[in-house]
Amino acid sequence: MTGMQLLWTAIKILVMVGFVVNIGALLTWYDRRGGAMMQDRIGPNRAGIKIGKFELRIAGLLHTAADGLKFFTKEDFMPPKADKLLFSLAPILALFPVIALTAVIPFGETIVPESIVRTVCKHGTQYAAMVNDACPAGFTPERVWPAVPRSGIANALTAIPLQIAPLNVGILYVFAMAGQGIVGAAIAGWASDNKFSLMGALRAASQMVSYEVTLGLTLVGAFMTYGSVRLEDMALWQGENAWGIFVQPLGFVLFFAAAIAETKRIPFDLPEAESELVSGYFTEYSGMKFGMFYFAEYMEIATSSMLLVAVFLGAWHLPFLHRDGLTIAFGDTELFHSRMPHVWVVIIGVLAFFGKTVVLCWLQAFVRWSLPRFRYDQLMKLGWTVLLPASLANIFATGIVWLALQSAGPGAASTLKVLADVTQGFTAALITGLVIWAVVGFVRTPSRRETIFGSSARLAAAAGGAKEGPITDPGPVTTEAA
């Protein structure tokens, strides 16, 4: 490995790990701030920095910073009869797999270094290549930002994929790493010498095993559609055809539900249900050991969202934006084409990938504050009797459709190409509408209106409202002997 390759690998590690860590910290803030907005509460507003008469609160963000500092200064308690080695090892086993998952997730278009910026020789409308770093007579050097071809990349040996480790096993590595989270939770509960922790560990292990089966079977339909287990190949297929959510809609819904269950958050937070198990498998943890469990949960939201984006939401692709630029076409009819510099295509793709990930993280937080907690028997019943059979049915239906399309002939292929382009147009219109809706909602003045919930409230409102009489002094209360 050359020095330049080492430098690019270090940059990719910093980008992915830095994003996961920072989005985990921001999600702890949004859980408080967003939950307060949804429940009409004030939310975090106490932590602040005072400079004279000026006080800085930054919408409650300083609460997250204060919590991070407190984790480092809290007492590191360990139960007297706990297994000291395993008790200390469990938080590491919970946090490490979440970070390791980022190694195989592609987050942008492949970079061709020599196509980022180039110096050419120009004379009027004529161009010539430089020879020995000099231009021919009559030509002047000029810096250009070239584009790359849509199919294939020149000088593939120097191309830099925006993926830390482009492994051949692809998504199988993801399953191997994700399964290690079970070990951390189980060891934490057993090593704590606490019956509530042990019960939480048993719940966590059985829950994660149950829903990992659904996660794996859900992606079988994606393997059949994309023809590969490599995440980068899945992303390229979606860019040239249709996003995975259109070809595997049931798979997306099942994967999303199972991913929330894997993160052990409401409505699937039974391993740490406070009303039953105090805090479940990390009841006995404090200080930074508890902080590692805490942040691993939020970072897992980010990694599961990145997997959803890579497999079902087009990865870094945007509608009609390809490697060589913007091309609006439906079937064989090209309506518009504009070549774009390679560097801008890469930057837009990276921003699109992380933007989609942030939206899915917000959606998971929205679900967390919208749904009540399941009972444990309901949790297991949902996994084994609803999601698992549905994932098997999805595989069966995908196989039938795939065989039918294979024998349909070239006419079906052209029709599918038009339908794929229609989904690109629909996605572009939907994204535009959502952006306009978000901007309008951000700038407009919010209005408050009273909403009545419950039958008693409706009956009282229909009767003209609750009547309150004047408050009078009832006088002294006397008690008569029976």
Side-chain angles (χ1 to χ4, degrees), residues 6-23:
L6 285 173
L7 176 62
W8 276 106
T9 301
I11 292 173
K12 289 185 285 188
I13 292 173
L14 288 175
V15 169
M16 290 297 281
V17 176
F19 175 80
V20 170
V21 172
N22 283 282
I23 201 67

Side-chain angles (χ1 to χ4, degrees), residues 413-474:
S414 60
T415 302
L416 288 176
K417 176 59 179 173
V418 174
L419 291 176
D421 292 333
V422 169
T423 63
Q424 296 278 333
F426 172 78
T427 305
L430 180 62
I431 292 174
T432 304
L434 289 175
V435 170
I436 295 174
W437 173 74
V439 171
V440 172
F442 183 78
V443 299
R444 73 179 179 87
T445 303
S447 59
R448 287 180 170 271
R449 59 182 180 181
E450 187 175 314
T451 304
I452 299 175
F453 294 99
S455 58
S456 59
R458 284 197 298 270
L459 291 173
K467 301 296 191 296
E468 293 185 3
I471 300 177
T472 59
D473 184 6

Side-chain angles (χ1 to χ4, degrees), residues 168-466:
N168 290 329
V169 292
I171 200 70
L172 302 181
Y173 170 86
V174 173
F175 291 144
M177 286 293 103
Q180 300 306 309
I182 302 172
V183 180
I187 289 178
W190 182 84
S192 296
D193 190 41
N194 183 306
K195 59 182 180 182
F196 296 107
S197 298
L198 180 60
M199 183 61 70
L202 293 175
R203 284 187 174 186
S206 58
Q207 174 179 328
M208 295 173 74
V209 168
S210 302
Y211 283 87
E212 276 193 10
V213 175
T214 299
L215 278 177
L217 292 176
T218 297
L219 291 181
V220 172
F223 301 160
M224 298 167 65
T225 303
Y226 303 139
S228 175
V229 297
R230 295 172 64 103
L231 288 168
E232 60 271 29
D233 292 342
M234 298 181 187
L236 293 174
W237 190 97
Q238 294 174 80
E240 292 298 326
N241 297 278
W243 288 8
I245 192 172
F246 293 105
V247 294
Q248 287 285 300
L250 180 59
F252 171 79
V253 173
L254 295 175
F255 191 94
F256 182 72
I260 296 178
E262 281 289 294
T263 59
K264 304 180 292 296
R265 281 168 58 84
I266 292 176
F268 302 98
D269 67 332
L270 275 301
E272 54 204 63
E274 299 90 345
S275 57
E276 308 166 32
L277 301 176
V278 190
S279 284
Y281 57 92
F282 49 71
T283 297
E284 298 290 354
Y285 283 89
S286 62
M288 200 56 208
K289 288 191 178 72
F290 172 78
M292 294 174 72
F293 280 115
Y294 184 71
F295 282 113
E297 179 181 297
Y298 282 98
M299 291 164 62
E300 196 172 357
I301 297 172
T303 54
S304 64
S305 298
M306 286 194 286
L307 284 173
L308 275 164
V309 170
V311 179
F312 294 103
L313 295 180
W316 63 84
H317 294 286
L318 289 174
F320 303 118
L321 182 63
H322 303 283
R323 185 176 287 164
D324 61 341
L326 186 65
T327 303
I328 300 178
F330 293 92
D332 296 329
T333 304
E334 185 176 297
L335 303 178
F336 177 80
H337 174 71
S338 176
R339 291 177 65 84
M340 292 179 60
H342 176 56
V343 63
W344 283 112
V345 173
V346 172
I347 292 173
I348 292 172
V350 172
L351 293 178
F353 178 85
F354 289 122
K356 295 176 190 177
T357 302
V358 170
V359 170
L360 280 180
C361 290
W362 168 82
L363 186 58
Q364 291 197 48
F366 186 85
V367 170
R368 182 250 187 274
W369 287 103
S370 302
L371 299 178
R373 177 184 295 151
F374 290 115
R375 291 199 316 265
Y376 191 71
D377 61 306
Q378 293 173 331
L379 171 78
M380 301 304 291
K381 185 177 181 180
L382 176 67
W384 290 108
T385 67
V386 178
L387 298 185
L388 178 61
S391 61
L392 293 173
N394 182 62
I395 297 173
F396 183 70
T398 302
I400 293 176
V401 173
W402 186 83
L403 290 175
L405 293 176
Q406 289 293 315
S407 59
S414 60
T415 302
L416 288 176
K417 176 59 179 173
V418 174
L419 291 176
D421 292 333
V422 169
T423 63
Q424 296 278 333
F426 172 78
T427 305
L430 180 62
I431 292 174
T432 304
L434 289 175
V435 170
I436 295 174
W437 173 74
V439 171
V440 172
F442 183 78
V443 299
R444 73 179 179 87
T445 303
S447 59
R448 287 180 170 271
R449 59 182 180 181
E450 187 175 314
T451 304
I452 299 175
F453 294 99
S455 58
S456 59
R458 284 197 298 270
L459 291 173

